[in-house]
Amino acid sequence: PTKDWSPEASQKKYNPGPKPLSEPENQFLVRLLDKYRPGVIISFHTWKPILNYNGDSKDVAEFLAGYNNYPLDGDIGYPTPGSFGSFVPEKYQAGVLTFECPPIEEGKGLKEIWAENEKGLKDFIRSELLVKKLQ
C-alpha cells in the first residue's frame, strides 16, 4: 500500500495483485515489521549485480560495494509501484537495500556469488553502521 501502487502490470511477470497487500505472505511480513520495526532491510534478489537502495540505505550500499564492486543505483531503471523499496521507507522510515545478485545461469554458481559477498556481509553485520541503523 504505497502512494504509487497501481493495479496495472507493467510487464507480464510483474503481477501487482488485485489490491495492495492482497497476498498472504505480504500481510504476514507487514505484521512482522509492525511488531519488529526495521532500521534497515536487505532484500536479496537475482537480476544482475547491482545494489539498489531506497530510503536511508545508500550508506549500506556504499559499504557493501567496497567489497563486491557492484554498481550502486537509487533507481532500478523502470517504475516499481507498490514495491518493498517504496513501502518500507514510506511506512517505517527505514532504508531498503535490494541486493541484486548475478543470475546463476550466467555462469556464476552460488559458491562464487557467496565468495564475492561473504566478507562484506559479515563485516556489515559486525559494523558500527548497522548499530547506527538499528538505533
Side-chain angles (χ1 to χ4, degrees):
T2 60
K3 294 174 188 168
D4 66 351
W5 186 85
S6 168
E8 295 179 33
S10 60
Q11 295 182 27
K12 192 174 185 175
K13 68 179 186 173
Y14 299 114
N15 181 1
K19 64 181 183 175
L21 277 182
S22 56
E23 299 83 2
E25 65 274 17
N26 289 336
Q27 294 167 13
F28 172 79
L29 184 57
V30 168
R31 286 194 306 272
L32 186 67
L33 296 175
D34 284 344
K35 185 173 182 177
Y36 303 102
R37 297 195 60 93
V40 66
I41 292 175
I42 298 179
S43 172
F44 292 88
H45 287 212
T46 292
W47 175 44
K48 65 179 183 178
I50 189 170
L51 298 170
N52 172 242
Y53 55 89
N54 299 98
D56 183 21
S57 64
K58 184 176 182 182
D59 50 355
V60 177
E62 290 169 341
F63 181 93
L64 292 170
Y67 292 86
N68 63 17
N69 295 313
Y70 286 13
L72 307 179
D73 207 326
D75 182 347
I76 203 74
Y78 54 85
T80 57
S83 71
F84 201 54
S86 299
F87 174 69
V88 170
E90 280 182 22
K91 180 163 183 171
Y92 302 103
Q93 293 73 51
V96 174
L97 174 67
T98 305
F99 196 111
E100 296 282 1
C101 300
I104 291 173
E105 57 271 6
E106 289 185 7
K108 286 188 180 179
L110 288 176
K111 287 182 182 180
E112 291 87 4
I113 294 168
W114 177 246
E116 69 188 21
N117 291 290
E118 177 181 14
K119 182 160 177 37
L121 290 166
K122 287 181 175 179
D123 285 355
F124 175 66
I125 289 169
R126 293 186 285 261
S127 75
E128 287 299 315
L129 178 57
L130 179 60
V131 170
K132 182 180 108 178
K133 295 292 183 187
L134 298 177
Q135 295 176 342

